[in-house]
Amino acid sequence: MAYERVDSESSLENTPNASFASSCATLTKTMIGSGILAMPAVLASVGAINGLLLMALAAVLSGLGQYLLIIVATTISPVQTASIRSACKDINPYLSIVFDVAIIFKSLGVSISYFMVIGDSLVKLFPAILGDYALMRSIWITASLIVVIPLVLKKKMDSLKKTSIAGILVAVYFCIMALVVFIQSGRASDTALFKKSDVKTIANAFSVFIFAFTCHQNVFPVYNESIHPDPERMKLVITTGILTSAAIYTVFAVFSYYTFGDACNGNVLFNHKDSYLALIGRALITLLAAFTIPLQIHPFKNSVKDILKVFGAGELSEEYGNVVVVTATLTAYTVAVWLKDLVFVVSITGKVAGVIVCYILPSVLYMFSEDLEKSNLMLAVSFLMIKAAILVELVTFIID
């Protein structure tokens, strides 16, 4: 299949120009974020081996879901204008609303978690000048808007490639920090390879990993901006992102868990003493969070645009688009000031929106798109992913 280029109406602004490295960085950085801080606590709840097996399962299912989306994108949009709305057009135009609402919820949930991390980290980095933890936390979250707002106003995700690469390097630093602290402190006495856990505990742990490997809302935009959008190249982009994220998660989670044991906090940075390593880590996680929020707000805007188009509205102007992204950012900021429990936000986002975006969206689009040449293997994978999604939802919301 020949892949055509999208002509810009006024300039080369809309021409695909994202390199292989840039595409990998965008997808990887979309996955790596605040969820990494909750992973040691997940291992503490189910055991190291059980936790890593759940992580591996989430990684494989995430990669399969992304690959299904690429198959759909290259079929419905060889001119690189793929969107959920266009993918759902031949199935049911209103179906896209369900998926777009899930992406909006997911984008907001992740952005909320990043604002929370910013506040929690900066309060520990700079002791409360006013002596009031909650007040100083709110002040720092508010101050972060000075950095975040200009970044969310960027028009294309490829323009954020430098911040994406910087964010990945921050995550690598956290792996080094976890290793060094483990060597200095030694192994905690209450760690375990396996733990006997009930079904709901396992499902809640799995939802954190769903959250950690969700970047599906950015698969279509990455495809649209890629210089070489052929399926094999995009498959390599997905594989690189999954393996990089999984490697970083594994190193950080394992060494952190074996350092702090069952005492692992939902935000493991609270377990670290005020050493230079921890202080630098808190400063860097603030940057990591600030750099990642725009990668979540971008699909939020695309989903709002698609919902408006379903109801007959025209193309969203640049001015109104800016209003949408600023409103989304301020909404996430407001909720983050109010909420305090990071694990709750990560878990609820993973099991409500993450399941839909990761598993149901790719499977439904692949199974019911009329123009696709479907293989029996991928149809079976799609069916199993839907069953997994339903199982996770039933267990986490029904079983007490």
Side-chain angles (χ1 to χ4, degrees), residues 58-375:
V60 170
L61 291 176
S62 173
L64 289 171
Q66 292 176 57
Y67 183 57
L68 290 176
L69 289 177
I70 288 299
I71 295 174
V72 172
T74 53
T75 301
I76 66 169
S77 185
V79 293
Q80 292 180 260
T81 56
S83 68
I84 292 175
R85 183 179 64 86
S86 61
C88 291
K89 185 171 60 176
D90 294 332
I91 304 173
N92 186 323
Y94 293 101
L95 179 63
S96 67
I97 296 175
V98 176
F99 295 136
D100 279 320
V101 168
I103 288 174
I104 287 171
F105 186 90
K106 171 69 169 60
S107 299
L108 274 180
V110 177
S111 299
I112 290 166
S113 72
Y114 291 140
F115 275 120
M116 292 173 66
V117 167
I118 289 172
D120 293 338
S121 299
L122 288 180
V123 167
K124 294 285 288 183
L125 187 61
F126 300 101
I129 299 172
L130 301 180
D132 187 317
Y133 182 93
L135 176 60
M136 287 305 301
R137 179 178 181 274
S138 301
I139 289 173
W140 284 120
I141 294 176
T142 304
S144 70
L145 292 173
I146 298 172
V147 175
V148 172
I149 292 294
L151 291 176
V152 300
L153 292 173
K154 297 285 187 180
K155 294 179 182 179
K156 297 178 69 176
M157 287 194 303
D158 185 55
S159 61
L160 298 167
K161 61 186 174 185
K162 292 182 180 179
T163 59
S164 294
I165 294 171
I168 294 170
L169 292 176
V170 170
V172 171
Y173 172 84
F174 271 90
C175 292
I176 296 172
M177 180 183 75
L179 175 59
V180 171
V181 173
F182 171 74
I183 293 172
Q184 292 175 341
S185 304
R187 177 176 173 177
S189 60
D190 55 353
T191 56
L193 291 176
F194 301 95
K195 284 189 176 181
K196 187 176 180 179
S197 306
D198 58 38
V199 175
K200 187 162 187 176
T201 299
I202 293 172
N204 284 331
F206 189 58
S207 68
V208 173
F209 292 124
I210 293 173
F211 177 98
F213 285 102
T214 300
C215 64
H216 301 61
Q217 68 273 21
N218 280 339
V219 169
F220 282 168
V222 166
Y223 163 78
N224 292 339
E225 294 180 16
S226 176
I227 297 174
H228 302 291
D230 58 279
E232 289 305 312
R233 178 64 66 91
M234 296 307 299
K235 189 169 154 184
L236 188 56
V237 169
I238 292 167
T239 303
T240 301
I242 290 287
L243 291 178
T244 302
S245 301
I248 289 173
Y249 290 154
T250 299
V251 172
F252 181 75
V254 168
F255 283 113
S256 295
Y257 171 54
Y258 273 92
T259 299
F260 302 113
D262 288 342
C264 285
N265 193 285
N267 179 345
V268 76
L269 285 183
F270 284 122
N271 290 102
H272 286 268
K273 298 176 182 178
D274 290 333
S275 63
Y276 286 114
L277 278 173
L279 291 175
I280 293 172
R282 292 186 182 110
L284 291 178
I285 194 66
T286 302
L287 295 177
L288 175 74
F291 291 161
T292 309
I293 290 173
L295 294 175
Q296 302 299 326
I297 299 300
H298 187 91
F300 181 103
K301 180 178 72 172
N302 288 342
S303 290
V304 170
K305 288 166 62 176
D306 281 350
I307 290 174
L308 292 175
K309 287 178 182 178
V310 170
F311 289 105
E315 186 67 35
L316 198 66
S317 68
E318 182 179 338
E319 291 76 15
Y320 281 110
N322 289 341
V323 170
V324 168
V325 298
V326 171
T327 301
T329 304
L330 294 178
T331 300
Y333 149 79
T334 303
V335 177
V337 169
W338 175 58
L339 288 176
K340 302 294 187 293
D341 188 348
L342 178 63
V343 173
F344 170 77
V345 174
V346 169
S347 179
I348 200 71
T349 303
K351 60 192 173 190
V352 174
V355 166
I356 297 174
V357 175
C358 264
Y359 303 153
I360 297 179
L361 167 64
S363 300
V364 168
L365 293 184
Y366 182 82
M367 292 172 70
F368 296 103
S369 292
E370 296 179 357
D371 296 332
L372 292 181
E373 294 182 6
K374 305 178 182 71
S375 71

Side-chain angles (χ1 to χ4, degrees), residues 2-73:
Y3 295 92
E4 303 171 37
R5 293 286 184 257
V6 179
D7 291 328
S8 173
E9 295 179 358
S10 57
S11 65
L12 295 177
E13 190 176 85
N14 295 324
T15 301
N17 59 2
S19 65
F20 173 80
S22 176
S23 298
C24 290
T26 298
L27 280 186
T28 304
K29 184 60 205 69
T30 303
M31 285 184 274
I32 298 175
S34 58
I36 192 174
L37 300 179
M39 287 189 180
V42 172
L43 297 194
S45 68
V46 298
I49 297 298
N50 291 340
L52 292 177
L53 288 175
L54 289 173
M55 182 193 297
L57 177 60
V60 170
L61 291 176
S62 173
L64 289 171
Q66 292 176 57
Y67 183 57
L68 290 176
L69 289 177
I70 288 299
I71 295 174
V72 172

